[in-house]
Amino acid sequence: MGFHMQIIIALLLGLKRNVHIFIGLILGVLVGWKLPQTNFPQVYNVLNFIGEGFINIIQMVVLPLVTSAIIIGISNIGDSKQLTKFGSKMLLYYGIITIAAVSIACATAILLQPGVSAKGLINSEVASHIQEYVNNAIQYQKENLTQIFMDIIPKNPFEALASGKMIPIILFTSIFAIALTRAGEISRPLVSFFESIFAATMKVTDWIMYLAAPGIFALTATAVGSFGIEVFTNISKYVLAFCIAIAIQFFIVYPLMLKIFSKVPVGKLFGAISEAIMVAFGTASSSATLPLTITCCEKRGISNRVCSFVLPLGATLNMDGTAIMQTIAVIFLTQMYGIELTPLLIIEISLLAIVASSTSAGIPGAGLITIALVLNGIGLTPEQLVIGFSLLFTLERFVDMFRTILNVTSDTVVAAIIADNENELDYELLCGKPIEQKV
Ligand code: ASP
């Protein structure tokens, strides 16, 4: 190996891990762009293998992590008054942040009218049938909502664990953890057991992160390499509306939330979670990113009490990016199929997107599956809108990567605010120096 090469390798190895991941990401974009999948199928077989392997291995720790984190989180908070305070704050902030997301999504989709340019793809007979279905919506919606609430209750918690159904698992674990705290001293050995599981899963996560750079490289290259530039023509406005909405949420709403409800410096927080943001982008999975999200937040001063309570719940329930995508996508479909977009319909779509996004698992593509719930709510099924849906699918991975960044970031914003409010944030760790207290 030449001397220059040795220097380059030494320099690369000396860089921080998030720089490695960033280089992987940029190289992934370049490879995907320069080597289209159709021309180099063999290369993509290898890249797929590496990328999927990385997602699988990182997901391996998610279940033990979520269950142990919730049990530790709830038992650390201890008395029920504190728990109610933490829980209600969490729901309040998650609520505000998601309502802001959906409102921004509605505004951008209504202003930009992304579906109108794709209207030509739909014949008028199909469009009038679709309108009929929408008119018969209410009954259908009621039936589905009841079913969703029933599905949240795990009849068999072990079955829910085995099939990785996150919301039922969280419900069961939370009830179990509250019971453990009420049981008092006798539950201490079991809580210690979960503390050991948590510590071990965090260690495994640290090891897994050595694979992050090649994993993110492979995932990004596969995503970029699979969509040709031509798909942009019919859905460019949809992508534009989506990008504007997520940019507003990321650069305006999150900093505003931090400023209004806490004294957390936004730059420091975003810097602290930069590794998690890149992994969220590469994996398009907030569950898979969760171990790293927790590590980043704890390393930079958010207490374990807050992280282990707020982040696992957020990774499952708080999905701003998904809610934005679902709102814009459904409005895109209604415009494309010429459905009359009344104010009532817009409100319905927004509320349904909030519910549907929080039932989405934190895995790639989940949001485009639970979007069926929003459509069912307004009387439609994805099969009826097959042309529109296939358009949405063309850039799904790309949209997914960006919405997952939001899903992860908004959890950390809420965790930081709660940590600040409850004196659970070490500002020296976050900022590198003590911060002056607001009076
Ligand atoms: N991929 C997203 C996540 O993991 C979920 C979605 O598909 O919207 O957060």
Side-chain angles (χ1 to χ4, degrees), residues 64-74 194 198 294 307-309 312:
L65 182 75
V66 168
T67 42
S68 59
I70 292 177
I71 288 182
I72 301 172
I74 292 183
F194 282 107
F198 183 78
I294 296 181
C307 285
S308 55
F309 181 62

Side-chain angles (χ1 to χ4, degrees), residues 20-86:
H20 285 165
I21 301 176
F22 186 67
I23 294 174
L25 208 135
I26 300 293
L27 286 180
V29 173
L30 288 177
V31 167
W33 177 37
K34 291 288 172 201
L35 310 178
Q37 188 166 8
T38 36
N39 301 351
F40 300 91
Q42 307 292 13
V43 175
Y44 281 88
N45 286 345
V46 178
L47 290 175
N48 262 328
F49 176 79
I50 300 174
E52 273 180 33
F54 177 63
I55 292 194
N56 287 353
I57 200 164
I58 204 170
Q59 276 196 317
M60 181 176 83
V61 291
V62 168
L63 271 184
L65 182 75
V66 168
T67 42
S68 59
I70 292 177
I71 288 182
I72 301 172
I74 292 183
S75 52
N76 275 349
I77 294 170
D79 72 282
S80 52
K81 256 200 197 148
Q82 279 262 41
L83 192 61
T84 321
K85 200 164 123 204
F86 261 65

